[in-house]
């Protein structure tokens, strides 16, 4: 029931403190959320946003502080209790189970998942309704979640939150894996929910999204609330950035020096085909050039990178590096030849979560760092620390397990891996996914510096402005084909979207 007294917020978190061994992740956070609003949580990477919502979700116990619903103090000892209090959470790191079906994931731990045939049929039916409501009727209840893309998994996670009849739904960077059409879908659903009085706590590093759907904003910096319940419409973007970072940040892309006419071709892809994903893809990337692939989720962008890297088996076509064909046969060959890939779904594709940060950074460079076959840990740490400093990773130490880093800082570690390795060709899939506004411009500058040093960079981003701002040349991908190539300065976002739509026949 919605509280009778409108002056009492639906949810209040007061003076929340959370310490981990050696880290004070939250140092007194206040948050109040009204029913029917979209309340945005803003803050730099490592500020404490995910930790706060894990406290609310019953996944972490607060060291201090209180949580109130309808003005009454509650305790949330575990995730089930959170659901009972009407709080459902979509986590930043997708937590769906690959080995189970869509319906099983949605009704996991729910009575509909257990026992009889009837319950299963009801669960399948409800799943179908939820998927329709989310604009994804094609995701069938019986499909194994492991076969879905990152965006598909996000949608399953969303359906699960919706299935709980929550009063507060927390979304931790839901849009990071979605393209613009899917973000529109998400926002439609959010409007629906808030119209029913449900409160949304929304986390995103994309300020334009916050302008579109946010009502109020709470800003967290270094584990503390620095601004509480700001009115979105009345707060300028510059002001938000200052509150988050403590300084002014120019969101400028680095200057494009222009690729010299005599720059050699580094990467040449000719007629590459992976059945069911993309066909007859040909392009080149020269030394010093950044080429961006623009297209929708599912258009084949990521799959192209994976095939170049040898992580997907192609049935036709060749990949050449500096004029010599890279022999097919997997990732090891590609890495040895000098190709690196920072994948989009870092948790399942790239990181060793229980290993220390430095091991994750040096992972592909063992051969060079090892001395006479023995790993030299001191060097590993020194090399990693240098990168951690250059990328402003927080906390700065490289010895903690990487799973304890915030999402954006894990992303930086993934980039650091290839910086240490030093590739001829660097493939970047969503390089700034989950990275805050301040660190973004640092990453852009770093990618440009790599190119200036002769690396050929091939990148994918769901944010078209990012592709247009960073790349020298843009390849528009639609339905597994390259439908257009242009210098980035000669094409704009509208044109890209038009080309994508023409390609899909829509
Ligand atoms: N399980 C843990 N053990 C130790 N430290 C942790 C743990 N979880 C989080 N931290 C630390 O707490 C701080 C806050 O992290 P949190 O994940 O909440 O940041 P965030 O605001 O969500 O950042 P991002 O935007 O990058 O997702 C970071 O310094 C992080 O390293
Ligand atoms: Mg987070």
């Amino acid at each position: 029931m919605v509280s009778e007294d409108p002056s009492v917020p639906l949810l209040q978190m007061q003076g929340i403190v959370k310490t981990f061994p050696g880290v004070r992740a939250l140092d007194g956070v206040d948050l109040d959320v009204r029913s029917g609003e979209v309340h945005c949580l803003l803050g730099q990477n490592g500020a404490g946003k995910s930790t706060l919502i894990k406290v609310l979700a019953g996944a972490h116990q607060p060291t201090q502080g209180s949580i109130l619903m309808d003005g009454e103090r509650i305790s949330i000892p575990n995730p089930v209790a959170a659901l009972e209090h009407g709080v459902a959470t979509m986590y930043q790191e997708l937590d769906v189970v690959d080995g189970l079906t869509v319906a099983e994931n949605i009704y996991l731990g729910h009575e509909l998942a257990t026992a009889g045939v009837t319950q299963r049929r009801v669960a399948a039916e409800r799943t179908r309704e939820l998927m329709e409501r989310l604009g994804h009727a094609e995701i069938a209840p019986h499909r194994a979640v492991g076969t879905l893309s990152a965006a598909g998994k996000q949608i399953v996670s969303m359906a699960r939150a919706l299935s709980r009849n929550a009063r507060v739904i927390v979304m931790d960077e839901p849009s990071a894996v979605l393209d613009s059409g899917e973000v529109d879908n998400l926002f439609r659903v959010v409007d629906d929910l808030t119209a029913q009085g449900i409160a949304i706590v929304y986390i995103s590093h994309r300020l334009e999204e916050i302008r579109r759907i946010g009502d109020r904003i709470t800003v967290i910096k270094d584990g503390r609330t620095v601004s509480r319940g700001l009115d979105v419409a009345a707060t300028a973007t510059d002001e938000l950035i200052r509150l988050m970072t403590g300084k002014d940040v120019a969101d400028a892309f680095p200057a494009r020096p222009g690729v010299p006419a005599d720059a050699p071709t580094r990467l040449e892809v000719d007629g590459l085909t992976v059945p069911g994903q993309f066909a007859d893809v040909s392009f080149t990337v020269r030394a010093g050039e950044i080429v961006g692939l623009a297209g929708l989720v599912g258009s084949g962008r990521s799959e192209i990178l994976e095939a170049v890297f040898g992580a997907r088996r192609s049935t036709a076509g060749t990949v050449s590096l500096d004029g010599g064909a890279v022999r097919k046969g997997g990732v090891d060959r590609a890495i040895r030849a000098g190709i690196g890939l920072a994948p989009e779904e870092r948790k399942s594709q790239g990181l060793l979560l229980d290993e220390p940060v430095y091991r994750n950074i040096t992972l592909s460079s063992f051969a060079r760092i090892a001395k006479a076959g023995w790993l030299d840990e001191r060097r590993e740490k020194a090399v990693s620390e240098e990168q951690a400093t250059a990328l402003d990773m927080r906390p700065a130490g490289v010895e903690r397990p990487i799973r304890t880093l915030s999402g954006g800082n894990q992303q930086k570690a993934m980039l650091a891996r290839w910086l240490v390795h030093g590739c001829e060709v660097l493939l970047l899939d969503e390089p700034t996914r989950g990275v805050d506004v301040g660190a973004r411009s640092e990453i852009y500058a770093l990618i440009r510096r790599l190119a200036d040093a002769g690396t050929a960079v091939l990148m994918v981003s769901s944010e078209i402005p990012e592709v247009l701002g960073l790349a020298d040349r843009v390849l528009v991908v639609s339905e597994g084909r390259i439908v257009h190539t242009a210098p980035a300065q000669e094409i704009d976002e509208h044109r890209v979207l038009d080309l994508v739509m023409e390609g899909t026949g829509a």
Side-chain angles (χ1 to χ4, degrees):
M1 276 289 100
V2 175
S3 167
E4 296 298 320
D5 180 356
S7 67
V8 176
L10 172 60
L11 165 73
Q12 288 164 282
M13 298 182 83
Q14 297 175 337
I16 305 289
V17 173
K18 176 67 189 174
T19 56
F20 296 107
V23 188
R24 202 170 174 85
L26 300 178
D27 191 23
V29 177
D30 298 317
L31 173 72
D32 69 86
V33 180
R34 299 175 187 152
S35 60
E37 77 166 336
V38 177
H39 197 114
C40 302
L41 264 188
L42 272 186
Q44 285 184 286
N45 295 134
K49 303 175 299 294
S50 296
T51 305
L52 183 73
I53 64 111
K54 282 178 189 160
V55 167
L56 180 60
H60 285 328
Q61 290 312 301
T63 311
Q64 266 176 49
S66 38
I67 303 175
L68 293 82
M69 276 291 230
D70 301 319
E72 304 213 355
R73 195 164 168 167
I74 58 168
S75 70
I76 308 183
N78 54 51
V80 174
L83 290 170
E84 282 167 3
H85 284 294
V87 178
T89 305
M90 289 167 61
Y91 291 102
Q92 177 174 19
E93 300 301 337
L94 298 169
D95 64 336
V96 291
V97 184
D98 280 353
L100 298 180
T101 67
V102 170
E104 285 164 348
N105 265 283
I106 292 173
Y107 290 99
L108 202 67
H110 191 285
E111 74 273 15
L112 282 181
T114 56
V117 177
T118 322
Q119 270 103 328
R120 282 175 171 274
R121 198 172 306 132
V122 175
E125 198 39 53
R126 298 246 178 101
T127 299
R128 215 166 279 128
E129 285 163 18
L130 284 167
M131 287 304 167
E132 233 157 74
R133 187 163 159 208
L134 290 171
H136 281 275
E138 82 286 357
I139 301 181
H142 301 296
R143 181 149 171 198
V145 161
T147 65
L148 294 171
S149 66
K153 290 177 187 176
Q154 183 65 271
I155 286 150
V156 172
S157 160
M158 209 183 308
R160 186 172 55 195
L162 291 182
S163 74
R164 303 299 156 115
N165 299 319
R167 299 176 66 196
V168 179
I169 299 182
V170 182
M171 303 183 172
D172 195 353
E173 296 194 43
S175 60
V177 292
L178 304 178
D179 65 35
S180 55
E182 279 165 331
V183 171
D184 290 346
N185 259 336
L186 170 68
F187 287 180
R188 213 173 21 74
V189 173
V190 165
D191 281 343
D192 252 28
L193 294 168
T194 51
Q196 299 165 34
I198 294 169
I200 308 289
V201 176
Y202 189 85
I203 301 176
S204 173
H205 289 292
R206 300 183 186 173
L207 298 177
E208 71 283 1
E209 289 180 354
I210 286 162
R211 294 233 160 271
R212 252 176 84 196
I213 56 154
D215 295 306
R216 294 193 305 149
I217 302 175
T218 291
V219 183
I220 300 180
K221 184 169 191 299
D222 301 329
R224 289 194 191 163
T225 298
V226 293
S227 254
R228 185 171 169 175
L230 292 172
D231 178 0
V232 171
T235 314
T237 300
D238 290 356
E239 173 65 10
L240 288 175
I241 293 176
R242 250 193 316 274
L243 286 169
M244 268 193 291
T245 64
K247 58 182 186 209
D248 291 311
V249 173
D251 183 35
F253 290 101
R256 283 179 265 237
V259 185
D262 61 351
T265 295
R266 275 257 119 107
L267 175 70
E268 180 162 11
V269 173
D270 189 29
L272 202 63
T273 301
V274 171
Q277 302 293 343
F278 61 87
D280 197 20
V281 162
S282 303
F283 61 90
T284 58
V285 186
R286 296 195 292 157
E289 191 180 27
I290 303 177
V291 171
L293 296 175
L296 302 180
V297 167
S299 60
R301 303 169 314 186
S302 299
E303 289 77 8
I304 293 173
L305 294 197
E306 288 165 13
V308 170
F309 190 54
R312 261 173 205 276
R313 190 190 295 263
S314 52
T315 54
T318 55
V319 173
S320 315
L321 195 78
D322 293 329
V326 180
R327 287 192 29 228
K328 288 186 184 165
V331 170
D332 292 346
R333 286 228 170 91
I335 292 176
R336 247 179 286 133
I339 303 179
L341 168 72
E344 63 172 328
E345 211 185 326
R346 43 182 189 261
K347 186 174 159 193
S348 62
Q349 296 175 340
L351 294 178
L352 305 176
L353 287 171
D354 293 317
E355 294 286 329
V357 173
Y358 69 82
R359 184 57 49 79
N360 275 280
I361 292 179
T362 56
L363 191 64
S364 303
S365 311
F366 277 176
R368 271 194 308 123
I369 289 174
K371 261 194 207 144
W374 290 97
L375 265 178
D376 181 345
E377 273 196 20
R378 259 217 331 255
R379 267 206 73 201
E380 263 190 282
K381 284 178 201 164
V383 164
S384 305
E385 259 154 25
E386 202 177 302
Q387 295 302 334
T389 308
L391 291 169
D392 194 17
M393 282 172 59
R394 289 173 207 202
V398 294
E399 298 191 26
R400 59 183 76 240
I402 202 156
R403 73 158 71 249
T404 69
L405 257 56
S406 76
N409 282 295
Q410 290 181 7
Q411 180 67 12
K412 291 185 193 176
M414 195 69 132
L415 274 177
R417 175 184 299 174
W418 298 112
L419 297 178
V420 166
H421 187 66
C423 318
E424 316 284 309
V425 172
L426 185 57
L427 311 169
L428 300 172
D429 202 349
E430 306 285 359
T432 62
R433 174 170 155 198
V435 171
D436 69 51
V437 274
R440 245 165 210 254
S441 44
E442 289 162 31
I443 288 180
Y444 295 149
L446 198 107
I447 295 172
R448 180 49 77 182
R449 278 205 298 282
L450 282 173
D452 289 346
T455 307
V457 179
L458 180 63
M459 65 168 289
V460 164
S461 171
S462 301
E463 292 175 67
I464 296 171
E466 180 168 278
V467 178
L468 298 181
L470 186 59
D472 295 296
R473 204 148 50 85
V474 177
L475 311 178
V476 181
V477 187
S478 181
E479 308 259 286
R481 291 187 183 264
I482 294 177
V483 294
H484 191 75
T485 304
Q489 280 119 321
E490 290 172 21
I491 189 165
D492 62 19
E493 189 169 357
H494 278 294
R495 180 79 182 118
V496 171
L497 285 172
D498 282 349
L499 286 161
V500 164
M501 288 308 163
E502 279 168 30
T504 60

